[in-house]
Amino acid sequence: MRLPSHLGIEHGRLRIGGHDCTTLAEIYGTPLYVTDLDRIAGNFRRFHAALAAHYPQTQMLFAAKANGNLAVIRTLAAEGAGADVFSAGELELALRAGMKPERLLFNGSSKSPTDLALAVETGVRVSVDSLEELRQLDAVAAEAGKTAGIAFRVNPALEVPTHPKIATGLKTSKFGIPAEEITAAYAEALASEHVEPVGIHCHIGSQILEVEPFARAAEVMNGVAGEVTDLGVDLDFIDIGGGLGIPYHHDTDAAPTPEEYAAAVMPVFLRGIRECGIDPSLWVEPGRWLVGDSSVLLVRVNSVKRAHRTFVNVDAGFNLLVRPAMYDAYHEVLVAGRADAAADGTYTVAGPICETGDLLAQDRGLPAPQAGDTIAVLDVGAYGFAMSSQYNSRPRCAEVAVTGGKHAIMRRAESFDDITATMETPDRTA
Ligand SMILES: *Cc1c(COP(=O)(O)O)cnc(C)c1O
């Protein structure tokens, strides 16, 4: 199996950032997320350089929902990243990670009054998803005696080749304002006293393995940029969102590189701003591409059962990695201690959750997995731990960071006390 450069196999054992995965599993216990922070920094630099080579005024906003660990966000902040935040909690994380408010975009299709007040108070730019939200924000900003800088989220009405649950720019999607209505929305924003339209925003979806949809979205944004510039909006930024996919099938997925992405998108963007006679910053919002391949989930085999299929029962399932159950997602799996051994049969890796759909990997060739073995699930850095739950009252596991040849906890495991810590039992006596 092809492996990215931060993973490797030595004497048959899988390594991440130079560390033996079975040793990390012994030291910290399983299940365990292990994240290579240096890989994340490297991914960031590569993506940014690919775009900045075409246009230096490029700002990368990490989509914070992909991975909410502070160590990860701090790593990206130190590289110069801002963030696309989708909730008050993600805004708080980004600020605590040291990101400047001017590098953040507060996004979301359903913001509460508290969200809007927080956005105004912190001075972050807001991606506004409806006219009603615009009016609410204007009122909140007026109350605070401030002006909120906004972009509208444009719905580009594009079909994209990905799982329907993560196609966000379809005509029927809940996100954004239809491109035909966008000029009227900007006109209203210009006329509002306490909001100032300064950007345009779109995001077409996630895990997209072709560059052409991104170029089409950039073309839609050019049209919007032209219309709103004519209206008198002074565009400070054009945000084309995230969504570039990664090769989850290591040997067969043909995933575009950031350089290929840039080669497809940047000429369209550059022509658009030239025709409008403007020089806004370009904002891009990768999530998965920056963090997806940085992490492995280490799980332990509890038992192997030969039935109509052979099940390898492990100690984590969709409580810690929901992508296979939720998106039919594929993740490569390896027996960490015999990572280059030949398969002796076909196995289905099943989690411990009381649900039929709790399968991490189906019908894979593996080298005779046995109780006690460590299995590594690859490419879990994006939408992995971030989407975890305590279902079946399983405390969430620890996350370990590897960086500069060292390893350290970046999130401790939860305990049973953590599960009950927020609960109260009301007195039921009459
Ligand atoms: C989720 C999301 C992203 C990131 O998507 P990836 O596929 O992880 O790159 C970017 N922008 C917005 C608005 C999002 O909702």
Side-chain angles (χ1 to χ4, degrees):
M1 184 190 302
R2 271 194 300 203
L3 293 175
S5 61
H6 63 299
L7 300 181
I9 299 172
E10 233 173 78
H11 308 299
R13 297 156 82 98
L14 180 69
R15 294 163 78 89
I16 178 166
H19 301 279
D20 183 334
C21 287
T22 51
T23 307
L24 292 173
E26 274 162 31
I27 296 172
Y28 294 100
T30 61
L32 183 72
Y33 267 86
V34 183
T35 296
D36 187 333
L37 296 178
D38 302 337
R39 176 70 179 183
I40 293 174
N43 286 348
F44 178 89
R45 285 179 201 169
R46 179 166 173 198
F47 206 129
H48 181 256
L51 296 167
H54 294 258
Y55 191 61
Q57 271 167 265
T58 298
Q59 174 69 50
M60 304 262 289
L61 279 71
F62 171 53
K65 70 177 189 289
N67 190 314
N69 192 292
L70 262 184
V72 167
I73 302 177
R74 286 195 173 118
T75 298
L76 288 163
E79 295 294 326
D84 166 66
V85 299
F86 217 88
S87 69
E90 288 179 5
L91 175 57
E92 192 62 41
L93 269 176
L95 293 172
R96 287 188 193 189
M99 287 175 173
K100 299 208 177 68
E102 58 269 28
R103 297 225 160 150
L104 306 179
L105 183 67
F106 197 150
N107 191 7
S109 51
S110 183
K111 301 188 193 76
S112 69
T114 328
D115 293 337
L116 297 176
L118 184 67
V120 167
E121 186 197 317
T122 49
V124 296
R125 251 74 69 93
V126 184
S127 173
V128 174
D129 204 276
S130 68
L131 282 177
E132 176 151 28
E133 184 187 325
L134 178 77
R135 292 165 198 151
Q136 291 172 352
L137 182 63
D138 188 52
V140 168
E143 182 99 346
K146 294 192 176 174
T147 303
I150 66 136
F152 282 107
R153 169 102 174 232
V154 180
N155 179 344
L158 289 181
E159 303 277 337
V160 292
T162 190
H163 192 284
K165 281 187 188 162
I166 49 178
T168 55
L170 303 177
K171 202 172 187 146
T172 52
S173 146
K174 73 171 180 176
F175 300 106
I177 296 177
E180 314 84 75
E181 294 167 29
I182 211 75
T183 317
Y186 277 91
E188 179 164 343
L190 276 175
S192 306
E193 212 176 319
H194 293 274
V195 293
E196 190 191 359
V198 291
I200 54 180
H201 180 213
C202 81
H203 170 66
I204 59 174
S206 196
Q207 185 52 16
I208 297 167
L209 289 176
E210 293 167 24
V211 293
E212 180 267 343
F214 296 106
R216 270 191 290 146
E219 199 67 67
V220 172
M221 294 297 267
N222 282 350
V224 175
E227 286 173 30
V228 305
T229 302
D230 290 347
L231 264 185
V233 174
D234 187 4
L235 283 179
D236 191 30
F237 67 90
I238 294 178
D239 184 336
I240 58 172
L244 187 60
I246 63 170
Y248 284 105
H249 297 79
H250 282 206
D251 294 331
T252 53
D253 276 345
T257 62
E259 294 77 17
E260 288 164 343
Y261 170 87
V265 169
M266 296 308 287
V268 179
F269 168 78
L270 291 172
R271 174 169 45 74
I273 62 170
R274 192 167 0 99
E275 283 172 2
C276 295
I278 56 176
D279 63 342
S281 298
L282 172 68
W283 288 11
V284 288
E285 305 176 331
R288 190 186 311 272
W289 206 91
L290 298 181
V291 295
D293 72 5
S294 71
S295 310
V296 297
L297 172 59
L298 302 180
V299 297
R300 181 185 183 277
V301 178
N302 286 326
S303 56
V304 178
K305 175 168 69 176
R306 287 180 200 281
H308 54 287
R309 287 160 115 176
T310 304
F311 292 101
V312 180
N313 297 311
V314 299
D315 60 0
F318 78 57
N319 55 321
L320 292 179
L321 182 66
V322 79
R323 297 191 67 259
M326 182 147 162
Y327 306 121
D328 307 310
Y330 179 98
H331 286 267
E332 301 285 6
V333 292
L334 290 168
V335 177
R338 297 190 296 288
D340 54 5
D344 80 319
T346 302
Y347 298 88
T348 289
V349 181
I353 300 299
C354 185
E355 298 276 349
T356 310
D358 185 34
L359 306 174
L360 289 177
Q362 301 193 50
D363 303 323
R364 306 295 179 83
L366 291 172
Q370 293 159 31
D373 277 344
T374 300
I375 289 192
V377 186
L378 307 190
D379 307 308
V380 297
Y383 311 105
F385 195 100
M387 296 179 95
S388 64
S389 74
Q390 292 176 331
Y391 185 41
N392 272 175
S393 292
R394 289 182 174 273
R396 288 184 185 80
C397 70
E399 288 188 283
V400 161
V402 298
T403 177
K406 299 200 193 88
H407 52 81
I409 285 280
M410 65 174 191
R411 186 191 316 253
R412 70 160 171 83
E414 291 174 351
S415 65
F416 294 117
D417 285 343
D418 288 321
I419 290 184
T420 55
T422 53
M423 300 180 193
E424 307 277 350
T425 305
D427 188 356
R428 296 184 63 242
T429 51

